[in-house]
Structures are given as structure tokens and as C-alpha cells.
Amino acid sequence: MLRLVVRRLLQLIPTLLGLSVLLFLWLNRLPGGPASAILGERATEAEVARINRALGLDQPLYIQYWRFLKRIAELDLGTSVQTGQPVWDEFTLRFPATVELSVAAMIIAIVVGVPLGYFAARKRGGWLDVTAVSGSLVGICVPVFFLALILKGIFAVNLGLFPSYGRQSTGINATDVTGFAVLDGLLTGEFDASWDAISHLVLPAITLASIPLAVIVRMTRASVLEVLGEDYVRTAESKGLRRRVVRERHVLRNAMLPVVTAVGLLTGSLLSGAVLTESVFSFGGIGSFIRTAIDGRDYPVLVGFIMFIAITYVLINLLVDVAYSLIDPRVRVH
Amino acid sequence: MRILRSRAARAITAALAVGLIATGCASERDKEDSKGEKDTFVFGAPGDPSSLDPALASDGETFRVTRQAFEALLEHESGGSKLVGGLAETWESNDAGTVWTFNLRKGVKFHDGEAFNAAAVCANYDHWFNWKGTYQSSAVSYYWQTIMGGFAKNEDKETPEANYKSCTAKDENTAVIEVKKPSANLPGGFSLQALAIHSPKALKAYEAQEATAKGDAITYPKYSQEAGTVAGTGPYKITKWNKGNKEVTLQRFDDYWGEKAKVKNLVIRTIDTEDGRRQALQAGDIDGYDLVAPADVKTLEGEGFQVPTRGVFNLFYLGMTQEKNPALKKKEVRQAIAHALDRENLVKTQLPEGGKVATQFMPDTVEGYSEGVKTYAYDTAKAKSLLKAAGESGLKIEFCYPTEVTRPYMPAPQDLFELMKADLEKAGITVTPKPMKWAPDYLDATEAGSCALHMLGWTGDFNDGYNFIGTWFAEYDKQWGFRNKALFDAVNAGSKVADEAERTAAYKKANEAIMAYLPGVPISSSPPAIAFAKNVNPPKVSPLTQENFAEISFK
């Protein structure tokens, strides 16, 4: 197990190196260059030259690249053009919100999706199956953005059941411990803050969960159907094993393998879905920050974000592999 | 082990459930004080502020927040654009317009307990004048440079020469500010938030934290990013900036010299989409918001919300870049375009109620507006004949317009573009549409002069004609792409005159010269709307979008 983890972590190095070259070249090819992005519309030519000198942009490309790499290695992601604050600080300020939202969405997707897919497969052709299959189709087809607007219009604006925007209500003075609003409230005993944070999470999390939920339902269903038809299930049943044991130990466990892989990939893609969802709900996470970064040509932020996504993907894949080997001992042997 | 775990889990779940049920309504209750009165006003702003020190900023969202906490020597009358006393009760200048004497208000205290006096005023002006390094970049000190020129020691050749000379505390309550040359930006400039007065104690703390240009950008000093250090004299003090939750919290300043704020807490939260702000108001999550889409005004009013429109203080125009398309160098072609546009129709169908057709490059509320400018009525036949006379009958022209944007002066740019395109085509001009993303593409392209026709606008900073016409026509500008010394001179003539009547007369002449030359077509001035909940007594809305939230109360 340890070897697997170490090997995968080592694989991060070439991945990130390759990415850094691509990012560096991209940055270099940008119209106007970083100087105009930093100084904005009012820059004079002399100021641009001054910034270029200060940034070392007048030096050969390989030296620039080396410095770029060194800075990334030191976790110095530069300064955000839009806020004038270090990118690292901006990220640590906003990541908890996005992580909280993504985790909530994933929990909804798994907790609802796996049983739904499982029972749909067990009662194939029944009303539950038909509803689940067609419902998941809708979930995949409806754009996240659209769903967000509809949910918000109905449940926040018209019915007033949930807040229409933000992460916390005004007047909630929660103590910040970890940055995760729900967790912080539980840790400090400020349960009203947790409750408030949860009520703010509901609509965006359901929105964000829509696609992974649909995918998980379909994958679980397909996978369970496949496993139900396997010889070993028939053997187990004919051996007289209790049906519950067969279903839980043989069917569900084996059917979960492809689903776990899907969950891993879906978690990565949640981050990009968060950009839209957070914008609609003005949720103060990394998503809406990235959107304004794109609008404002905030390159240091974008570079940091792309590197972060890359690292997250690799780490999630690692987790998937570990989970895989826990579910399926054969993976450990090979 | 297994039992233990499940017991612990059960205990936690039970505690959670009890806690949540017991406190479920707390968030609603917190907004009200013990008497059951609402004591927090929440306002939805379209963008985050960039700094809590207005001197470092040049954007409206920063000023919207800092304006509640900082006051300048002069202010604009509530709900209008006339200059009135702020921290200075009265002011006067010498005949040359170079020595400005301010008689300061007595009994004013800063939020940190320091006393306000002439020494504090001078400490501020000297602080800005002595800025070094990164602070001298126009990205940081745009307004200081616009109003006062450069610094004690300019570090870059491009920085304008300093116009500021000195500030003297003649006595406790008299401050004298001297400049080298008279300027159209004074006294208006003394009212800008960027030149609002800070506590001298806070200034000392500011100086200990320099803005740095380390690595690849300007990092704003820490004090400007966290509430705690900054201290002004305004009716509210800034107590918290929660960037994660996108909100700035302000609290009533009980030692305020004037009428105290009616609502105890003020929260300005960023909701960056237009729909988001409207829905938050409809859902009752906020008590007001700015930049209401003209299309939403009727809906909101129908639902009982208050949507006051501000006075007109902006200008929307069709820009022409002569260097981009040589045909535009011909005056007849520019005139033909002006005659081709049905501006009445644009205003009637596309702009909010109260919008007016513009005859010149400033709204009629600004000093220097002239009734005697040459006008160009809607007349397709005349446009055609002018084009023919110019030998440009088959004129093809590129027209850039921005997408995904709403500006106070330009709601729904795409619709405006479509109408203008139809008008131009009726006159026989073939229009090639070029849609672009507002920022940075469109702004960069228009700035660089790469759009033959384009549409832009401007909201004034203060009531002086130069703040409008000087913005566009004081010198050669790539956006317009022409050199006409006589016109530039006419525009600049008023800018260095101290006498107000003389200056106004010069601006009138400048407007007449501009409209005779016709560098572009002024289209409209329109009042931007702001919305409030039903239970709010709104502040007087300001044409300069400088609302004072201390005037707000709940019904």
C-alpha cells in the first residue's frame, strides 16, 4: 500500500513539471503580457518597462522559466491582480467554502445515488427504476447554471425556505477555526452558525450534486445489473446463502468498483461545476473568485488555480486507487 | 469498541439535533435588537471593494463603502451635485485659484478618538504628497495624480509634475492648501473620497506598512485589507471585512459630529450578478441594491419595491476612431453618421425613464453646458446626401460593441447596437458587427483605437465640465485618433482659469467647438436606478451615486 502511495506521489512530479511548462508558455504568449494585466488600462509605456524590468521579463526565456518554477516550488503563487493580495492567501481564504460545497454535493450524490441505483437495478423495470433512469437523464441534460436559477427562484425567492445567496447570514458572528463554516460551529458549540451554514449550503449543494448524482445512479444501476447476472452470485444463492448476505457482500461490494472510480473523477469535475454554481448563489468560494479572475485577466490566480486542480486530480486518483484496493483485494496482490 | 463508537455517534447526533432545533431561528433574531426593531441594513453591491483606504482606490465600489466612514474637506449636497462644506465648513480661494483656505468644522472626532484639526488635514495631504515607490504608480494613486499631479520626488519621468505645493495649519481650525497653478479639478477634487481625511494616528500606522511590488504585482498594504487600523470621521466606522463571505460590516459611530446614523449596523455585501441582487431583494435577504437593470424597474415597482432613479450625471456616446477608418477623417461622413442615428428612439426604447437625448459631451446638469451647440437631427436623406458629397456612398464600417455588460449609462449594449446598426444601414452604410467581451477585450480595443465605431460612456466624479470633456478631448487620444490643436486648446482653455464664471464660459465655447468638429456622437444621459425594500426609508439618491447610508431608516 505504501509503495502504491509513494509511487503515485512521485508521478505528480513529471505531471506538474509538464503542466508548468505549458502554463509558462501560455503566460508568455498572452496579449499585452503580465505588465498590462497588472497595471491596467492606465499604464504608461514607461511604467510597463519598469514593471517588466522588475519582473525580469527582459531576461532570456529559460531564466524566466527557472524563476517561475522556483516560485511555484516555494508555494509563492504571486499576487492577485484584482485584490492586490498574495494568491496563496486568497486561496486559503476561499478554498474551505468550495471544499465544503463539493463535499456536501458529493455526500448528497453518493447517499442518494448509490441506494437509488441499487434498488432500481433490483426492481428492474419497476416504477422506481423508470423514475431513476429518466430522472438521471434529466439531471445530466439540464445545465447546472439553469438548475441553479430554477432552484433559487422557487425555494429561495418565492417560497423563502432558503437564503438566496452567500455562505452565512448577516449578523452571524461565527468563530473562524478551520474555515469550514459547518464544522467550525460544531467545534465551538455555536450550533446556530452551523445551522445557518447548512441552510446556505442546501440549494447550491443540490445544484452541484445534480450531475454526479445522475452519473452515480446510472453507473450503480448498470454495475449491479451486471453483477447480478454473474455466475458467482448464482452459485452463492444456490449454496443457500442468505439473500441479504449475497446482496451486500457479493453484489454491492463488487458493483461498487466502477462507481468508486467514477466518484473520484466526478469529484475533480465538481470544482469546475462550482464556478457556475457559486456565481449564481454568490457563494464566497474559489468558484466565483475564478470567474472574476477570468474577467479581470488575473493570471497569477488562474495559474495557481490550474496547478491546484492538477494536484487535486492526481490526489483524488490516488485515493480512488487506495479505496479500490480496500474493496478488491486482488488489486493489492498485483 | 464498536459499542463505544456508536454511543459517541449517537451522543453527537443528539447534541447536534438539540442544538440545531434550539437555535434554528437565531439568524433571523440577530437582525433585530431587544426592542424588536430592525437594526441592520444590508445592501447588495455589484462588486467587492479593493481597499479600505480610499486613497489607494479609483473604483466606485470601494468608495461606496469608505464614503460611509471617511469624509473629505468638501462634499456634495445630499441628493445633488452642488459642492457644500464637509469637514470644512466654508472655504475660499485667492483670485489666482492657487491658495485654498478651509475653515474647519469644530468638535469633530476620528473613530480612534483623535481630534480633527488643521494639523490632521495637513498630515493627510503631506502623506500623499510624499508617497514613494509603488505608491507612485498610477494604478495606486490615480486620483491624487489626477487632482494634484505628482509627488515631492517623482521617481519616474512619466509621472506628472506636482501641482501640490504645501499645506499649512494656520491655526487649529484653519488649513491652507497651496498649489502651483490653478486647476479645473479644484475645488471639486477636495470632495473626492480618494482625498478623504484619515486620523493622524492611523496615518502613522499606514506608513509602517508599505505597498510592495514584490514578485509580479502590487500588493496592497495590510492595513487597507483588514478593518482595525483605518479611522475616519464619518457616521459609520468600518468594523469588519469578511472577504470569504464578501461583506463589509460598519457600525454607527456614536461620537459623530453631525446627525447620527439612524440604523445601527450597515452591511455591504457583494452579489455580483444583476439577477442575484434582484432575487436577494425579492427574497428579503437584503434591504437594497445598486445597478438595477432598466428592464427590472417596472417589475420591482409592481411588486411594491422602491426604485428611485438618480439625477442624470452621465453621458453615453458613439465613438469614432478616425485613424482606424480613413473615411471618418471626412467631416461629412461623421455628420452623416450623426444624422443617420435616431437618438430619440434609442432613448425612448432602450434607456430607463428620465433618459435624455444628449446634444453635447456633457449632461445638462453640468456647469458649462451650452444651448448654442450645433445639433444633428435624425434625417436619413440628409445622411445619404452627405455621404454622397463625401464620395463615400458605399461606406463599409466596423462597429465594435461589448457583450455581457451593463453600465449605468448603457443598459443592454447589444440592443443599442442593433438599433444603431439598423439606422446606419438605412442611410446606406454597411456595418460589420464586432462583439467583444467587455473587460479586458473591449476596453483595451477601444482604448487602443482599434474600433472604427464603438460605444462608451462616463459618469462624472464631480460637477465640473472638464471632468467630462477633458476626459476625452484634452489632447490626442488613440480612442478618437485625431489631432486638432484648436479643439484641444478650446477644451483646455477653461481648465486653468480660477474664476468660475469665466471657466463656465470657456467650457461652453469648448462644447460648441466640439460639436462643430463632431469627433463622435453624444447619444444620451440617463438616470441609473437603485432599489430598496418596502420597509426602508431610502437615502436621498445622488446623481454622483454618492448615497449617504446614514440617512437610511426602517419604517
Side-chain angles (χ1 to χ4, degrees), chain B residues 28-103:
Chain B
E28 281 310 304
R29 269 208 312 270
D30 281 354
K31 288 185 193 165
E32 298 177 4
D33 66 7
S34 51
K35 280 178 277 170
E37 283 170 20
K38 215 166 171 269
D39 65 354
T40 302
F41 179 84
V42 187
F43 190 78
D48 291 327
S50 60
S51 143
L52 297 183
D53 179 355
L56 309 180
S58 57
D59 63 294
E61 290 316 321
T62 297
F63 297 152
R64 188 198 303 281
V65 173
T66 63
R67 180 165 289 117
Q68 318 305 330
F70 291 95
E71 295 172 302
L73 289 171
L74 308 182
E75 303 281 334
H76 290 99
E77 61 173 343
S78 174
S81 59
K82 199 180 128 209
L83 273 184
V84 294
L87 283 176
E89 269 180 319
T90 57
W91 73 98
E92 59 190 11
S93 79
N94 63 348
D95 290 343
T98 51
V99 180
W100 294 86
T101 307
F102 297 92
N103 300 306

Side-chain angles (χ1 to χ4, degrees), chain B residues 486-504:
Chain B
L487 183 68
F488 299 155
D489 285 347
V491 170
N492 287 314
S495 74
K496 293 186 177 64
V497 180
D499 183 70
E500 223 176 301
E502 212 179 303
R503 190 153 78 200
T504 307

Side-chain angles (χ1 to χ4, degrees), chain B residues 187-520:
Chain B
F190 291 122
S191 75
L192 286 179
Q193 261 297 297
L195 302 187
I197 306 298
H198 299 241
S199 138
K201 201 163 100 189
L203 286 182
K204 281 229 170 65
Y206 298 177
E207 266 156 18
Q209 308 173 12
E210 212 199 320
T212 50
K214 178 187 155 274
D216 53 4
I218 294 157
T219 307
Y220 281 121
K222 206 167 158 231
Y223 78 83
S224 71
Q225 302 297 312
E226 289 169 10
T229 311
V230 294
T233 56
Y236 283 100
K237 49 187 177 186
I238 302 173
T239 52
K240 200 173 171 192
W241 184 2
N242 183 342
K243 287 190 181 177
N245 210 28
K246 292 155 107 54
E247 67 177 14
V248 183
T249 308
L250 299 101
Q251 217 174 59
R252 177 166 56 211
F253 176 47
D254 288 323
D255 280 338
Y256 183 58
W257 59 268
E259 199 179 324
K260 297 190 187 17
K262 296 190 176 74
V263 180
K264 194 171 150 210
N265 303 303
L266 170 64
V267 176
I268 299 178
R269 289 189 77 156
T270 306
I271 306 178
D272 32 30
T273 63
E274 217 165 60
D275 283 342
R277 290 193 296 282
R278 193 197 66 234
Q279 290 181 319
L281 181 74
Q282 287 170 324
D285 292 337
I286 57 174
D287 305 302
Y289 76 92
D290 201 1
L291 286 197
V292 181
D296 290 339
V297 172
K298 283 253 151 65
T299 318
L300 286 170
E301 280 176 344
E303 290 169 13
F305 294 101
Q306 310 173 67
V307 196
T309 41
R310 295 162 164 136
V312 169
F313 209 67
N314 58 28
L315 188 95
F316 169 54
Y317 62 84
L318 172 77
M320 304 178 188
T321 308
Q322 298 184 19
E323 278 168 354
K324 176 74 184 170
N325 190 324
L328 292 172
K329 284 194 198 304
K330 298 179 190 168
K331 195 169 172 177
E332 291 90 344
V333 173
R334 301 201 296 275
Q335 288 178 335
I337 291 174
H339 281 297
L341 297 177
D342 187 354
R343 290 179 277 170
E344 282 288 345
N345 181 45
L346 286 175
V347 170
K348 215 165 59 201
T349 59
Q350 297 299 319
L351 293 172
E353 231 165 282
K356 294 174 186 168
V357 172
T359 57
Q360 52 207 289
F361 280 87
M362 60 171 69
D364 59 4
T365 42
V366 175
E367 299 293 340
Y369 180 87
S370 167
E371 299 288 349
V373 294
K374 189 168 164 41
T375 52
Y376 302 85
Y378 173 50
D379 188 341
T380 310
K382 192 160 183 192
K384 277 184 184 159
S385 71
L386 278 164
L387 284 171
K388 204 169 166 194
E392 296 283 354
S393 295
L395 179 61
K396 269 192 193 146
I397 202 154
E398 199 175 66
F399 193 155
C400 309
Y401 67 93
T403 55
E404 298 164 48
V405 70
T406 315
R407 306 300 294 164
Y409 50 80
M410 178 174 69
Q414 180 148 7
D415 298 343
L416 286 162
F417 163 78
E418 293 293 347
L419 285 176
M420 284 197 252
K421 176 173 177 267
D423 284 344
L424 293 171
E425 288 185 337
K426 248 187 270 169
I429 301 172
T430 313
V431 172
T432 320
K434 209 173 165 196
M436 283 183 206
K437 202 155 113 21
W438 172 252
D441 306 7
Y442 185 75
L443 288 175
D444 282 359
T446 49
E447 184 100 348
S450 45
C451 288
L453 294 185
H454 57 272
M455 41 209 253
L456 272 174
W458 170 262
T459 302
D461 292 318
F462 44 83
N463 192 346
D464 184 275
Y466 196 70
N467 192 256
F468 281 88
I469 52 176
T471 303
W472 299 299
F473 308 118
E475 58 191 350
Y476 167 78
D477 186 336
K478 281 185 197 157
Q479 187 199 150
W480 306 97
F482 69 88
R483 289 169 208 273
N484 182 331
K485 193 168 175 302
L487 183 68
F488 299 155
D489 285 347
V491 170
N492 287 314
S495 74
K496 293 186 177 64
V497 180
D499 183 70
E500 223 176 301
E502 212 179 303
R503 190 153 78 200
T504 307
Y507 291 154
K508 282 188 179 175
K509 275 202 185 130
N511 275 325
E512 287 151 23
I514 293 169
M515 289 313 290
Y517 179 77
L518 200 69

